[in-house]
Amino acid sequence: MLKKWIGVLTAFTLVSVVTLTGCGTNSAGPTTASAPKPAETKEAPKDTPAASKKLTVYAALNEDDIVQIQKKFKEDTGIEIEYLRLSGAGEASTRIQAEKASPKADIFVGGSVEFYEPLASQGLLEKYSSPNAKELDAQFNDPKGFWQGWYMGVLGIVLNKDRFKKELEPKGIKEPKTWDDLLDPAYKGLFITSNPATAGGGYIFVADQLFRLGEEKGWDYLKKLNDNVHHYTPAAGDGINLTATGEFVAGMSWAHDIVKSAKQGYPIQVIVPEQTAFEIGGVGVVKGGANTDNAKKFVDWLLTKPVGEMNTKLSNRYSVRKDVAPPEGMIKIEDVKLVKYDREKASQMKADVVKKFTEMTGKK
């Protein structure tokens, strides 16, 4: 009986061992399965805002110029420009000042840098110095870093050749070669120029006379010229259009824009007088704009050689880059006899000059 119970217990023990071995966690056996490890919990990545693909531009440029800039900038960077074309740098400056509590623009481009200085002094421009600016002559870079020069233009006389030969040449009047020639009474009501309060070219023209003749004689010149001026246009380019279509015999504007219209077949020519003035066309980042990073990319882009060449071909403006050839059909910049133009003084005296000019000319 005892032997019988021992046999039963032995058998039970063997069965138990086999059973436990088959279900055990011993990793040595080929049928052993490891217990699953608890899944690791990873923190979900935080959503990062997508980079903006927009840029709002206030442009004091010709319509076809800003359209081509818009197209090329999108091709090169993928950033879409939404632009508002204004009649002149003065209007753009006034708008930026009016919107200072809630800026709508990211970039102000075009027009002379004289219009950028007051904005900088009011804290309305973002300080930014492009790495590409190191390749340029110092006169094109704001030492304080609030604006950047990217093109040059010189002032010239636009003459309608057809009307001049028909109306003035028979009277013995010769083509104007100097600013003083425009004081001839024969031009009374036949000459047009722009308003220095709204047009960069208009203001630089006024400052040109004050620098070349001195304060007293300069204002005397402007007063005499006013007798011949039919009216003052909001933008410098307006005078070209009105002269090209034959409404006026002569006007004052930017030489590059005059050449551009002449290439389109209008019967006009450009005359660059001695002691003329030049502009440095500017660009500045508007402080508080919604797309400041893209605005800085735009400044960098403007200063590249390919864009300089594109702008020269498109607008006939001189590039500030030395490795960009002069525009076709334009006088070489080294052959232009420039007035001694004090840009800092021109900026400082602008408000007083515009006020005095407006009082002198009235609503003309």
Side-chain angles (χ1 to χ4, degrees), residues 7 17 40 53 62 184 213-214 217 225 242 325 349 351 355:
V17 170
E40 294 182 6
K53 290 295 182 181
N62 294 334
D184 192 313
L213 297 171
K217 290 183 178 179
L225 184 67
L242 294 171
M349 70 183 189
K355 183 176 182 292

Side-chain angles (χ1 to χ4, degrees), residues 115-289:
F115 285 86
Y116 290 73
E117 288 284 358
L119 295 177
S121 65
Q122 295 173 52
L124 302 181
L125 295 181
E126 181 84 13
K127 193 172 185 178
Y128 177 63
S129 295
S130 171
N132 294 339
K134 292 184 292 186
E135 303 174 25
L136 309 179
D137 189 282
Q139 67 176 320
F140 302 122
N141 303 329
D142 177 16
K144 299 176 184 177
F146 290 104
W147 56 260
Q148 176 62 59
W150 62 287
Y151 67 80
M152 275 184 62
V154 297
L155 291 179
I157 298 170
V158 52
L159 188 72
N160 186 295
K161 295 183 291 185
D162 290 349
R163 282 199 64 180
F164 181 83
K165 289 181 179 180
K166 183 179 179 180
E167 301 173 36
L168 298 187
E169 199 173 70
K171 298 178 181 179
I173 305 298
K174 295 182 179 180
E175 290 184 359
K177 298 298 181 184
T178 69
W179 295 124
D180 295 323
D181 290 342
L182 297 172
L183 297 181
D184 192 313
Y187 287 100
K188 186 175 181 64
L190 302 179
F191 178 74
I192 191 169
T193 186
S194 51
N195 190 332
T198 58
Y203 176 68
I204 293 175
F205 172 72
V206 170
D208 185 1
Q209 312 315 315
L210 298 177
F211 287 139
R212 77 180 181 94
L213 297 171
E215 188 81 9
E216 184 177 345
K217 290 183 178 179
W219 281 111
D220 184 55
Y221 171 88
L222 293 167
K223 185 176 181 180
K224 290 177 180 177
L225 184 67
N226 183 59
D227 292 336
N228 285 348
V229 174
H230 183 274
H231 69 278
Y232 297 94
T233 63
D238 297 338
I240 300 173
N241 298 333
L242 294 171
T243 305
T245 54
E247 292 185 53
F248 297 95
V249 173
M252 185 288 303
S253 192
W254 294 111
H256 55 263
D257 288 332
I258 299 171
V259 171
K260 186 175 182 179
S261 292
K263 288 179 178 179
Q264 295 172 359
Y266 290 103
I268 57 175
Q269 71 181 74
V270 61
I271 299 163
V272 179
E274 293 184 5
Q275 295 294 291
T276 192
F278 72 100
E279 72 166 335
I280 297 176
V283 61
V285 179
V286 178
K287 192 170 186 177

